Structures are given as structure tokens and as C-alpha cells.
Amino acid sequence: MSKRIFGLSVHKGISKVLCEICDKKATTKCETCRVTYYCCQDHKLIDAISFHKKVCQKLADIRCERPLPFTETDRINQAATIRQNKKEILKLAEAVARRWMVEGNPTNAYPAAMIAWNMAKDLRSEDSCEVIYPTCLVSEVFLYLGEFSAAQQFMVQASWLSQKYDVLPAAILSWLYRLRGIVLMAFENWKHAREAFAEYVYAIANEYGIEGIQLGIPYGYLGLSLLKFDNIDGAMASFHKMADKWLNFMLTQYEDKTMRRATETEMAADEKVQELEFQCMEANIVFQKVYDVVRKLGMNERTDLINFKILCFQVLSEIRNNNHKDAVVYKEEALATATRTKQNKCVPTKRIPLLIEVLGDDFLQRWERKHNRPRTIATKYLEMIKAINV
């Protein structure tokens, strides 16, 4: 049973305490740090699962009363320590919130997103451009929680902040365009969603170039919006660009024997590794949306081409995540698709041997039986693989 908070237990100078999750009047608190309050046991449990355990001690260091410093140097050092702790909490909160989101759990993402938003405002100011990204996170969390009004409110707030700056970093701009697009999609405002995703593509291309996998996800979202205008050619072109980039990335990792999911320690130590993992997880989500939409268009050579690429990506993705049972399921779907269409149009010729290695002998046999093309380069490559394995 949670303990009640009495007046004498509240820190000096604080007239009332509010819930960390919902800002309602608090009735209980964390018994470890004793400076984080909640309105009910449910919110306390959600925060513990989501984020609080990771930063409990740091929050205590920040929020607990400290003795007055004796010298100016002590005061400066104390302030620097508190500020550094806040920066670490902000960085961790953003990462945790985003991870919960790409794993499809907005409920657990909410506490971390709110901590990130409040900490960003505390560290900088409410008008700082560095508050835009946490604001986007909170908006997206509300969107997937079904709180469309709150999601729109935070999206407008992020957009309003961006208007105060003549120049913004491309990373922040891309997040803003992405958020605007998915919120407008939820409101079925497809015209403006398409414009937002087009800006998203441009911002990412401007930051990372046109060859990077970072462009894959923006192309996927753009294609989804184009379908709503019956622009099937444009949508399919966008889907193919997304699939080509990610399939090529996965096959390269497979070929280099570097295809594995990063550990928690590796992600915490390297922001680039962490960002790549988040993109891989989000790519899976977008690919699933694309696959479902394309299937509704009917089974024909045009749709099978894109579906085959997506299924091959899913096979490689599950192998990368060490989920071999799911990989087998996707492999069977890919093989079924392979019997319906000309796979030599799906991927570059130089990648066919790798796909054969991934999908197995069945793919080669079905492919050659359908197209009556024995003794291809793929056949020779497979024989070489078998010889090496023997």
C-alpha cells in the first residue's frame, strides 16, 4: 500500500506537489528518491516500468535540497553538476521515449517523453529550438495514444517554435515535417500530409544526401500519402526507392557478416548506432503499412515486385534480430511471391546470389522453373557456395 504524503514531508518552499505523469495533485511518491510524486499507484508503476528506475538517483541529486556552498567555486561546481545531470536525463529520456514508440508502446513512452519535454524547457528555455524535438516526441505519443487533440496542440506548438528561427538544423526540420505529416494523416488531411512528407524527403536528402538509407522512411511515408490521390505510379516509385535502400543495406550487412542487432550497451555508447537501430525498427513499421496497403491493390506483377522486396527485407530483418521462426514465415511468403512474378526485375543482378543464399535452394528452383533459365550466374554462385560448405 502506498504511503500518503503529509505536509511536513514536502520540501521547504513547495506548497503542493503534482503527479509526474499527469500534473494532478499527488498522493504518493517514490520511496527511493523521495522527490518524485504521483497521483496514484498506477502512474507510479507506469513510470517505474518506463523510465524512472533509470534516473531515480539522478533526480534525487537534482531535486533534493543541498547545503549552501561555502565559496563561489563550490557554487559554480554545484550548478555545473546539476546541469550535467539534467543533460544526461534529457538525452536518456529522449532515447527511451523513442524506443518505446518504435516498439509500439506509447503508454510506456509517455513518462519519458514528458520528462524530456520538461527537462528541455528547464535546461534551455521554452522558446529554444532545442525544445522542438521533445515537443515532437510528446505530440507523437499523444497521437498513438488516440489523444488527437493533444497531439495537434503539441504539433502546433512545435511549429510555432520553429517560426521564431530563420535557420534550423536539418535534423530538427526533418522531425518537424515528419510529425506534421503523420498527424495530418491521422486527421485524413492528405493534401497537407503529402506536402509535409515531401518537405521531409527534401530535409533528409539535404542533410544526408540521396544515397543514404535515411531517405528510405521518408519515401515510404510519401508513397502512402500519394496513394490517397490515386497516384499509383508515384507511390510505387517511392515504395521501390525505400525498399531498394533498405534491402541493399541489409544485404550489405549480410555479405559483410555484420548483420546483428546492437546491444543496449552499444546503443548507449554510440548515438549513431542507436539512431540506426531506431531507424531499423521504424522501417519495419513503415514496411508493414506499405505491404498492407499494396496488398489491397490486388496481386499482379506490379504489386508483387514491391511486395517481394519488402518480404526479403523482413526475412533479413528477422535474421538480424535473431528471430529465425519469423524469418521462415516471411521466407515462405517471399517464395510464394517469387512464383508469380519475374524476380530478375526485382533486384540488381549482383544481389541475386545473396538473395539465393538468404532464401535458400527453393527460391532458385522456383525462379528457374518459372523462367526456364537454367545455368544462370545464380546457379553457378549457388554451386560455389555448396562447394565451399562441403
Side-chain angles (χ1 to χ4, degrees):
M1 184 174 178
S2 61
K3 294 183 179 180
R4 287 281 177 178
I5 296 175
F6 297 97
L8 291 177
S9 70
V10 178
H11 290 297
K12 185 178 179 181
I14 301 177
S15 59
K16 63 178 180 178
V17 288
L18 302 177
C19 177
E20 190 83 3
I21 305 298
C22 64
D23 283 344
K24 292 181 180 178
K25 186 177 179 180
T27 59
T28 185
K29 64 181 177 182
C30 171
E31 296 302 325
T32 303
C33 67
R34 305 183 69 83
V35 291
T36 307
Y37 303 95
Y38 305 97
C39 66
C40 62
Q41 198 68 18
D42 287 343
H43 282 187
K44 183 178 180 180
L45 180 60
I46 290 172
D47 195 24
I49 294 172
S50 167
F51 183 63
H52 184 71
K53 288 182 179 180
K54 300 177 185 293
V55 294
C56 185
Q57 186 56 52
K58 287 187 182 296
L59 287 174
D61 293 341
I62 291 172
R63 294 173 176 174
C64 282
E65 291 185 11
R66 294 169 176 267
L68 290 174
F70 289 103
T71 66
E72 180 66 12
T73 302
D74 290 341
R75 186 191 68 79
I76 293 173
N77 290 339
Q78 188 181 93
T81 301
I82 292 174
R83 186 171 182 82
Q84 181 60 33
N85 282 338
K86 288 181 177 180
K87 286 181 178 179
E88 291 175 5
I89 291 173
L90 170 60
K91 181 180 176 181
L92 183 60
E94 290 175 345
V96 169
R98 190 172 174 196
R99 176 152 196 166
W100 282 119
M101 286 302 298
V102 294
E103 289 180 353
N105 197 329
T107 300
N108 286 350
Y110 177 70
M114 291 302 294
I115 281 282
W117 183 59
N118 287 317
M119 200 62 69
K121 292 189 297 179
D122 188 29
L123 268 171
R124 281 90 188 189
S125 70
E126 293 192 6
D127 294 339
S128 171
C129 68
E130 295 183 41
V131 179
I132 294 176
Y133 175 58
T135 306
C136 290
L137 276 178
V138 174
S139 177
E140 188 173 354
V141 168
F142 276 123
L143 179 66
Y144 286 100
L145 285 173
E147 301 286 344
F148 296 136
S149 178
Q152 187 178 34
Q153 178 183 343
F154 276 92
M155 182 199 74
V156 170
Q157 184 175 341
S159 300
W160 177 78
L161 282 174
S162 69
Q163 297 299 316
K164 294 190 172 187
Y165 297 89
D166 295 330
V167 179
L168 281 173
I172 293 178
L173 268 179
S174 62
W175 264 99
L176 190 59
Y177 290 135
R178 173 187 173 278
L179 172 69
R180 192 177 296 168
I182 61 176
V183 171
L184 290 169
M185 279 177 65
F187 282 93
E188 297 187 354
N189 187 343
W190 295 104
K191 179 181 178 181
H192 290 98
R194 179 184 59 182
E195 294 172 359
F197 288 135
E199 294 282 4
Y200 182 27
V201 170
Y202 177 79
I204 291 292
N206 190 46
E207 176 72 7
Y208 299 102
I210 61 174
E211 300 299 329
I213 60 168
Q214 293 86 352
L215 260 180
I217 293 171
Y219 273 130
Y221 280 124
L222 180 61
L224 290 171
S225 63
L226 288 172
L227 272 183
K228 292 297 180 177
F229 294 90
D230 294 327
N231 187 350
I232 297 178
D233 290 337
M236 287 299 176
S238 296
F239 295 153
H240 277 295
K241 286 181 179 180
M242 178 185 182
D244 287 340
K245 289 182 181 299
W246 277 100
L247 185 55
N248 184 63
F249 168 76
M250 286 292 189
L251 286 172
T252 300
Q253 280 202 335
Y254 185 88
E255 187 176 27
D256 296 340
K257 309 298 182 185
T258 59
M259 193 172 70
R260 67 175 182 84
R261 187 170 182 173
T263 63
E264 293 281 351
T265 304
E266 290 171 335
M267 291 173 65
D270 192 332
E271 288 187 12
K272 290 184 178 179
V273 173
Q274 178 177 268
E275 180 63 26
L276 178 61
E277 289 301 319
F278 288 156
Q279 288 200 24
C280 286
M281 288 187 274
E282 187 175 1
N284 269 301
I285 296 171
V286 178
F287 270 129
Q288 189 59 55
K289 291 179 180 178
V290 172
Y291 183 76
D292 293 339
V293 168
V294 172
R295 285 290 294 268
K296 292 178 181 178
L297 298 176
M299 293 185 183
N300 52 58
E301 184 172 326
R302 192 180 198 182
T303 57
D304 281 342
L305 287 173
I306 183 62
N307 282 339
F308 179 77
K309 290 181 181 180
I310 293 174
L311 290 167
C312 288
F313 167 82
Q314 296 286 14
V315 171
L316 289 161
S317 179
E318 296 302 336
I319 293 174
R320 185 176 186 270
N321 294 334
N322 205 28
N323 296 330
H324 295 287
K325 288 185 178 180
D326 292 338
V328 170
V329 174
Y330 286 119
K331 185 185 294 186
E332 287 300 317
E333 290 187 46
L335 293 173
T337 307
T339 63
R340 295 196 302 266
T341 187
K342 296 180 179 180
Q343 298 312 322
N344 56 317
K345 290 184 179 180
C346 278
V347 292
T349 304
K350 65 180 181 179
R351 288 302 190 187
I352 291 175
L354 275 177
L355 277 181
I356 292 170
E357 184 178 343
V358 172
L359 297 178
D361 292 3
D362 287 344
F363 171 66
L364 176 66
Q365 293 167 3
R366 295 189 192 188
W367 187 43
E368 292 188 343
R369 185 167 62 247
K370 180 174 178 61
H371 303 294
N372 193 25
R373 295 177 61 187
R375 303 301 301 170
T376 61
I377 184 174
T379 312
K380 296 175 183 177
Y381 187 85
L382 186 62
E383 289 175 354
M384 183 180 71
I385 293 172
K386 289 180 178 179
I388 293 173
N389 289 339
V390 171

